[in-house]
Amino acid sequence: MKALWLEHRQLRLRDDVPMPARRGEALIRVRLAGVCGTDLEMVKGYYPFTGVLGHEFVGEVVQIDDACSDWLGKRVVGEINAVCGQCEQCRNGRPTHCENRTVLGILNRDGVFAEYVSLPPDNLHRVPDSVPDEAAVFTEPLAAALEIQQQVQIRPTDRVLLVGAGRLGQLIAQTLALTGAGVQVVARHSHQQELLRARGISVLNEADVASRRYDVVVEATGSPEGFALARKAIRPRGTFVLKSTYKGEISLNLSPLVVDEITIVGSRCGPFAPALRLLEKREIDPTPLIAAEFGLNDGIRAFQEAEKRGVLKVLLRNA
Amino acid sequence: MKALWLEHRQLRLRDDVPMPARRGEALIRVRLAGVCGTDLEMVKGYYPFTGVLGHEFVGEVVQIDDACSDWLGKRVVGEINAVCGQCEQCRNGRPTHCENRTVLGILNRDGVFAEYVSLPPDNLHRVPDSVPDEAAVFTEPLAAALEIQQQVQIRPTDRVLLVGAGRLGQLIAQTLALTGAGVQVVARHSHQQELLRARGISVLNEADVASRRYDVVVEATGSPEGFALARKAIRPRGTFVLKSTYKGEISLNLSPLVVDEITIVGSRCGPFAPALRLLEKREIDPTPLIAAEFGLNDGIRAFQEAEKRGVLKVLLRNA
């Protein structure tokens, strides 16, 4: 089948990738897939992965074991961590931290920039009919945005600062705004700012960020500058959510974190079911984030587009 | 009066320090004071402080406004942050983070290595008669140990690792053990280990610390090595409590914190009332930590003793 294959930091379109064939799993025809910041980082060598890239998708189940035949023909999205169910993390309700996990297009499992993909039936979520593919393809990053509220209580009276309004930041801004909290967003690019303002979300210039005043600060840039700005903004006993991976080490003076009793929370994959509920109820609208759409055949060009500064979501459609 | 005076990283015994005279405050005769790690760090220049050092004490109120005359002659301990009551932190229940605070022997307020000290009446706590000076003098560090449980829920089924069993670490070990959780402590010095074992607390060698297995890890060494060991031990979605200040910067790879969704919590001053309750009920016994006692006249020698590696609590007694 056709697929975008990553090997030695080189992404190329292949048409000879074997069809996925994992025993007991569902075979899914990919309808639409999204390029994520992690995909771009992986091409730069962030993880030593060889195989089909991509983990954001919506597709259709085309083959599955008889016991799960209800899924056949259904439109689905899929959780990206395929887990063992046996290890200490799985047994303690932390399956996304499974010690034996494979991760779609990231770790020991071919991803979704392909005609077909395979996932365990337990990973699948039915997409409500009213949610179009162009919204459903955002389920995974929207779930990641919701992970913040899975970990941290956002009070309606909280002052919340979000630093970064890229692909993930836009979704975080929308989910945070639903809490009723006073949310302000530092967005660098003018079209990022416009998207936020169009939803009535307050945009702030870096220079106007107050020091030591925010109850919760979310860092979604992954840059040392974003980290420093976010750190400065947190009030004593406030919460600092890290919603990005960072390249390399960041040098940090820990003593002020102790003196100010700051809480830092790392945040990764989130829950799909609430993401789908919010999409179905149209409380979140990710579609304005779509910057461009390419066919899988033009996958390399799609990546070139996605790599441009300030470009939001680039989609890959299967013909 | 006599006092241990810090100036330009030089500690000296003076006998010409003016008596404290702060309007509206209580004048307290210091009976017994304790040398803390922070005091030692301050002599090394950790904070640019000039004045009387020391913040752990038990004393007796000898002068106070008429409106508070009930305090006269009472044996007291005192919270170290003197606060404004008006700023945003004070008004939001975070007085230890008061933006205008002075801190006993640390920030803009003379400390307790002196014959007398001054504190606002609101800072005072009566010492129960059954608690001897030698235990009451530990109220402040014991409160700091309890701050961990003020911030982080320790579940009775949790696996808890404490790295560091010095002055503060010993008290943390005792308070953590009261939760019923499985507590293990990495202690470097044999007499630290013996004190823990004498209380039935499990001692662990560094080499035996399991990776990624502890629900809660408390770092109480303030060293980069202790930090690294503690970091290694936390399970995914676990909590990492920083209970020490650190000299200089620590270089940190933040991405694994995000991938493992670790929570880091900085922890500083804690609540006095529960500390006094635990001392009164003898649930905590700090007195075996006492390594030596000196008169205020021998204060410089006391500091020399406290600086020796592995030495626990050195006390200063007023004649």
Side-chain angles (χ1 to χ4, degrees), chain B residues 120-142:
Chain B
D122 282 351
N123 283 47
L124 303 183
H125 292 259
R126 176 100 193 259
V127 177
D129 291 340
S130 66
V131 178
D133 285 352
E134 293 74 13
V137 73
F138 286 91
T139 306
E140 196 277 338
L142 179 56

Side-chain angles (χ1 to χ4, degrees), chain B residues 204-260:
Chain B
L204 205 63
N205 289 320
E206 279 184 42
D208 296 330
V209 171
S211 288
R212 302 165 67 82
R213 276 295 172 270
Y214 293 87
D215 301 292
V216 178
V217 179
V218 178
E219 206 296 306
T221 71
S223 72
E225 300 76 29
F227 182 90
L229 179 67
R231 169 67 190 91
K232 184 194 93 161
I234 306 166
R235 68 154 166 88
R237 284 207 192 131
T239 300
F240 185 2
V241 180
L242 301 183
K243 199 62 217 188
S244 276
T245 49
Y246 294 81
K247 297 155 226 166
E249 308 236 315
I250 284 190
S251 185
L252 192 58
N253 188 342
L254 296 171
S255 289
L257 292 177
V258 174
V259 171
D260 290 338

Side-chain angles (χ1 to χ4, degrees), chain A residues 88 159 246 255 261 268, chain B residues 88 159 246 255 261 268:
Chain A
E88 176 162 317
R159 280 171 301 195
Y246 296 80
S255 290
E261 298 193 308
R268 185 171 41 97
Chain B
E88 177 162 317
R159 281 171 299 195
Y246 294 81
S255 289
E261 297 193 309
R268 185 172 41 98

Side-chain angles (χ1 to χ4, degrees), chain A residues 88 94 96-97 99 147 159 213 235 244 246 249-252 255 258-259 261-264 266 268, chain B residues 88 94 97 99 147 159 213 235 244 246 249-252 255 258-259 261-264 266 268:
Chain A
E88 176 162 317
R94 301 186 288 271
T96 57
H97 294 276
E99 293 165 16
E147 177 72 354
R159 280 171 301 195
R213 277 295 172 269
R235 68 152 167 90
S244 277
Y246 296 80
E249 308 236 315
I250 284 189
S251 185
L252 192 58
S255 290
V258 174
V259 171
E261 298 193 308
I262 302 298
T263 294
I264 301 183
R268 185 171 41 97
Chain B
E88 177 162 317
R94 302 185 287 271
H97 294 276
E99 293 164 16
E147 177 72 355
R159 281 171 299 195
R213 276 295 172 270
R235 68 154 166 88
S244 276
Y246 294 81
E249 308 236 315
I250 284 190
S251 185
L252 192 58
S255 289
V258 174
V259 171
E261 297 193 309
I262 302 299
T263 295
I264 301 183
R268 185 172 41 98

Side-chain angles (χ1 to χ4, degrees), chain A residues 89-305:
Chain A
Q89 306 308 327
C90 283
R91 283 184 286 108
N92 284 281
R94 301 186 288 271
T96 57
H97 294 276
C98 168
E99 293 165 16
N100 305 306
R101 69 185 181 269
T102 59
V103 188
L104 198 58
I106 294 175
L107 182 69
N108 295 331
R109 174 176 285 271
D110 282 336
V112 301
F113 299 149
E115 292 178 271
Y116 296 91
V117 67
S118 170
L119 272 177
D122 282 350
N123 283 47
L124 303 183
H125 293 260
R126 176 98 193 262
V127 178
D129 291 340
S130 65
V131 178
D133 284 353
E134 293 74 12
V137 73
F138 286 90
T139 306
E140 196 278 336
L142 179 56
L146 288 171
E147 177 72 354
I148 295 171
Q149 279 145 274
Q150 195 75 7
Q151 298 175 283
V152 177
Q153 182 186 15
I154 311 280
R155 294 176 176 82
T157 56
D158 277 348
R159 280 171 301 195
V160 180
L161 180 73
L162 167 64
V163 179
R167 297 168 186 94
L168 183 55
Q170 292 283 337
L171 298 174
I172 294 169
Q174 289 194 32
T175 52
L176 289 176
L178 291 178
T179 63
V183 177
Q184 296 187 301
V185 183
V186 176
R188 216 163 235 193
H189 300 278
S190 60
H191 72 282
Q192 294 175 344
Q193 297 173 356
E194 284 156 26
L195 283 175
L196 295 165
R197 289 203 185 96
R199 290 193 71 89
I201 295 170
S202 175
V203 173
L204 206 60
N205 289 321
E206 279 183 42
D208 295 331
V209 171
S211 289
R212 303 167 65 82
R213 277 295 172 269
Y214 292 87
D215 302 291
V216 178
V217 179
V218 178
E219 206 297 305
T221 72
S223 71
E225 300 76 28
F227 182 90
L229 179 67
R231 169 67 189 93
K232 183 195 92 159
I234 306 166
R235 68 152 167 90
R237 287 210 190 129
T239 301
F240 186 2
V241 181
L242 301 183
K243 199 63 220 188
S244 277
T245 49
Y246 296 80
K247 297 153 224 164
E249 308 236 315
I250 284 189
S251 185
L252 192 58
N253 189 342
L254 296 172
S255 290
L257 292 177
V258 174
V259 171
D260 289 340
E261 298 193 308
I262 302 298
T263 294
I264 301 183
V265 181
S267 178
R268 185 171 41 97
C269 295
F272 271 47
L276 284 166
R277 281 195 291 270
L278 290 175
L279 289 173
E280 186 175 16
K281 294 166 74 186
R282 298 179 191 275
E283 297 289 357
I284 301 287
D285 181 9
T287 56
L289 275 64
I290 300 172
E293 187 184 303
F294 294 83
L296 182 58
N297 282 330
D298 292 321
I300 302 301
R301 270 181 54 217
F303 263 73
Q304 287 163 352
E305 183 65 24

Side-chain angles (χ1 to χ4, degrees), chain B residues 5-310:
Chain B
W5 186 267
L6 179 66
E7 194 167 359
H8 302 310
R9 303 190 186 192
Q10 195 69 41
L11 191 69
R12 62 193 169 94
L13 181 69
R14 284 177 55 180
D15 57 9
D16 60 348
V17 174
M19 287 279 286
R22 286 187 181 243
R23 204 184 163 81
E25 296 198 354
L27 184 69
I28 300 150
R29 193 181 72 82
V30 177
R31 294 163 65 107
L32 195 60
V35 179
C36 159
T38 303
D39 299 320
L40 300 175
E41 294 296 316
M42 287 179 69
V43 174
K44 292 179 193 148
Y46 173 72
Y47 275 120
F49 176 75
T50 296
V52 179
L53 205 58
H55 57 274
E56 300 178 1
F57 79 103
V58 53
E60 190 182 317
V61 178
V62 292
Q63 194 181 304
I64 197 164
D65 277 2
D66 287 347
C68 305
S69 60
D70 280 1
W71 284 104
L72 259 184
K74 297 295 191 299
R75 206 160 54 105
V76 296
V77 290
E79 304 213 26
I80 71 173
N81 299 283
V83 305
C84 74
Q86 308 295 324
C87 73
E88 177 162 317
Q89 306 309 326
C90 284
R91 282 185 286 109
N92 284 282
R94 302 185 287 271
T96 57
H97 294 276
C98 169
E99 293 164 16
N100 306 304
R101 69 186 182 267
T102 59
V103 188
L104 198 59
I106 294 176
L107 181 68
N108 296 330
R109 173 176 286 270
D110 282 336
V112 300
F113 299 149
E115 292 179 89
Y116 296 91
V117 67
S118 170
L119 271 178
D122 282 351
N123 283 47
L124 303 183
H125 292 259
R126 176 100 193 259
V127 177
D129 291 340
S130 66
V131 178
D133 285 352
E134 293 74 13
V137 73
F138 286 91
T139 306
E140 196 277 338
L142 179 56
L146 288 171
E147 177 72 355
I148 295 171
Q149 279 145 275
Q150 194 75 6
Q151 299 175 283
V152 176
Q153 182 186 14
I154 310 280
R155 295 177 176 82
T157 57
D158 276 347
R159 281 171 299 195
V160 180
L161 180 73
L162 167 63
V163 179
R167 299 170 185 92
L168 183 55
Q170 293 283 337
L171 297 174
I172 295 171
Q174 289 195 31
T175 51
L176 288 177
L178 291 177
T179 63
V183 176
Q184 296 187 302
V185 182
V186 176
R188 216 162 237 192
H189 300 277
S190 61
H191 72 283
Q192 294 175 344
Q193 298 173 355
E194 284 156 24
L195 282 175
L196 294 165
R197 290 203 185 95
R199 289 194 72 89
I201 295 171
S202 174
V203 174
L204 205 63
N205 289 320
E206 279 184 42
D208 296 330
V209 171
S211 288
R212 302 165 67 82
R213 276 295 172 270
Y214 293 87
D215 301 292
V216 178
V217 179
V218 178
E219 206 296 306
T221 71
S223 72
E225 300 76 29
F227 182 90
L229 179 67
R231 169 67 190 91
K232 184 194 93 161
I234 306 166
R235 68 154 166 88
R237 284 207 192 131
T239 300
F240 185 2
V241 180
L242 301 183
K243 199 62 217 188
S244 276
T245 49
Y246 294 81
K247 297 155 226 166
E249 308 236 315
I250 284 190
S251 185
L252 192 58
N253 188 342
L254 296 171
S255 289
L257 292 177
V258 174
V259 171
D260 290 338
E261 297 193 309
I262 302 299
T263 295
I264 301 183
V265 181
S267 178
R268 185 172 41 98
C269 295
F272 272 46
L276 284 166
R277 281 194 291 270
L278 290 175
L279 289 173
E280 186 176 17
K281 294 166 74 187
R282 297 178 191 275
E283 297 289 358
I284 301 287
D285 181 9
T287 54
L289 275 66
I290 300 171
E293 188 184 302
F294 293 83
L296 182 58
N297 282 331
D298 291 321
I300 303 299
R301 270 180 54 214
F303 263 74
Q304 288 162 353
E305 183 65 24
E307 272 163 12
K308 291 179 185 164
R309 285 180 70 86

